[in-house]
Amino acid sequence: MPSGPLPLTLANLLLGPGSRTRRRPDRAFDRLLAAAGPAQDDERFAADLRHLLRCWAGAERLTPVGWLSARGHVGRHLANRARIRRLLAAHPEIEQEPVERPVFVVGLPRTATTLTHGILSLSADHRCPLLWELLTPDLELPPEEREKAITTARRLVGGINLFSPRFRHIHNLRPEGPEECTFALPHTVMPLSQAVIPEYLPWHENRDFEADYRYLKQIYQVLQYGRPRRRWVLKSPLHLENLDALRAVFPDATIVWTHRDPATAVASFCSLVEHGMAVNTRPLDLHGIGATWLELLARSAARGLTARAGIPRESLVDVPYSWLGADPAAGAPKLYAAVGARWTEADAARLPAVAARPGGTRVHSYDLARYGLTRADVDTAFADYNALRAEVDRA
């Protein structure tokens, strides 16, 4: 496999000497913790991220850019946590901010969760977190500080597009556009989309995520404090495996579950992982990507199905791919009605811009066989989920 785009090759050469800090991940972590600033009585949060960085440091075939990404990921979460805790200490009333009847868009990746989220973001009654806010959550900022935070997000997106030019054709990140909770949650499976970290998987699989969702709520309370209150519309495919923890913290949430043929979703997501992981790991094991993510996504669907049994029917909205993927103009009003929202002429006028392919991007092509998978593999892994999907399609 080639070494990648020239900017990525040069970056790896320049960062090579600094990647020696992988040999002492605890020392690297201590520096990140010191840079984040004080956060008293938060040993558990720090210990969990220390464990993640240790696992990441031992990743197979991790590039210098990959190690820089790992430290950036951990350092950002430490800094954000410290800031949130300082804000809560200075303004205890923040935790009284009501996060009422939030909408959470969930489902397997590549099942139109982004489109669904974008359509729900059209309403003036709704509030979606923007990428720059998720990367640097804070109270209302002065204009110059706000622009600094947005610039940080632009640099992140610019770096991704520079090092992996095809990534934006699959998932187009916009610094000032709605984005998913994944960027705010401290622990998800997304590090496994950047590096081969087998030690992290069993730890993650057995983790109790309720504390992470309490922290996620605090982030949205901070982003709401001192601003007009609107109904939060949130999204992440990775919520699917943690619906019990999510609902423990957000008991009045409406769950919008998007559905699509898992054979298509798995192939598309493996392609996304390939292009993202190529920035951090060389060479890639494409069949390893297929095996890993077939297991992880099937596990996520199984956990979602188990949790689904405890969700009140009035709090659950199933969205088949045909609703929005085929005809958004017909599906969008049904979606709004299902979540108890008003669909207006102003929303309809803005719909084409949200539903259209982002300018400058190309159609995404993918193939299960590239990742060593067959339809039979996927159908077997998702047998129970496919039974549910058939019911949804018939409804």
Side-chain angles (χ1 to χ4, degrees), residues 101-347:
R101 300 172 50 249
V103 175
F104 281 87
V105 179
V106 309
L108 291 171
R110 317 303 298 165
T111 58
T113 55
T114 298
L115 176 59
T116 303
H117 191 219
I119 289 174
L120 288 170
S121 76
L122 292 171
S123 174
D125 298 326
H126 293 165
R127 168 80 156 94
C128 296
L130 308 180
L131 177 58
W132 73 268
E133 295 178 309
L134 292 166
L135 293 174
T136 319
D138 208 333
L139 301 181
E140 188 72 50
L141 295 171
E144 63 276 10
E145 291 298 316
R146 175 188 172 97
E147 184 58 31
K148 183 178 178 181
I150 295 172
T151 297
T152 298
R154 288 175 182 151
R155 287 173 179 164
L156 174 68
V157 173
I160 292 171
N161 292 337
L162 180 67
F163 290 159
S164 182
R166 296 182 182 178
F167 189 88
R168 68 189 184 94
H169 302 306
I170 307 173
H171 183 71
N172 187 44
L173 291 166
R174 295 182 296 131
E176 296 179 76
E179 258 304 333
E180 58 187 52
C181 306
T182 307
F183 287 95
L185 284 167
H187 293 282
T188 69
V189 292
M190 287 315 291
L192 301 172
S193 72
Q194 301 179 50
V196 181
I197 320 174
E199 297 84 359
Y200 185 59
L201 185 53
W203 181 89
H204 183 277
E205 185 173 3
N206 295 305
R207 178 178 172 78
D208 181 352
F209 285 89
E210 190 170 324
D212 287 355
Y213 281 89
R214 288 197 297 270
Y215 172 52
L216 184 69
K217 182 178 180 180
Q218 290 174 340
I219 287 176
Y220 293 130
Q221 288 173 316
V222 164
L223 291 175
Q224 180 174 283
Y225 182 67
R227 297 156 168 137
R229 291 176 181 169
R230 292 176 285 164
R231 189 182 188 186
W232 282 101
V233 175
L234 308 166
K235 169 247 181 179
S236 175
L238 304 185
H239 291 317
L240 187 60
E241 67 174 357
N242 294 318
L243 289 178
D244 284 339
L246 185 158
R247 295 191 64 250
V249 177
F250 301 95
D252 61 346
T254 295
I255 306 298
V256 174
W257 188 333
T258 59
H259 299 278
R260 191 183 190 186
D261 179 2
T264 302
V266 169
S268 179
F269 189 69
C270 284
S271 177
L272 183 147
V273 171
E274 175 188 350
H275 288 91
M277 185 178 279
V279 175
N280 303 289
T281 303
R282 289 281 175 171
L284 292 179
D285 175 4
L286 297 181
H287 287 198
I289 289 174
T292 296
W293 285 99
L294 177 63
E295 176 185 350
L296 290 176
L297 296 178
R299 185 191 78 181
S300 177
R303 288 187 171 184
L305 288 173
T306 299
R308 179 187 176 95
I311 300 176
R313 192 66 194 90
E314 64 272 16
S315 299
L316 179 64
V317 178
D318 288 307
V319 180
Y321 192 78
S322 59
W323 269 28
L324 303 175
D327 188 0
K334 290 194 294 184
L335 173 65
Y336 269 58
V339 301
R342 297 181 304 117
W343 177 252
T344 67
E345 291 184 4
D347 300 330

Side-chain angles (χ1 to χ4, degrees), residues 56 58 71 73 92 97 109 145 206 226 267 319 325 329 363:
W56 218 325
R71 287 179 289 153
H73 176 99
E97 282 289 325
E145 291 298 316
N206 295 305
V319 180
V363 174

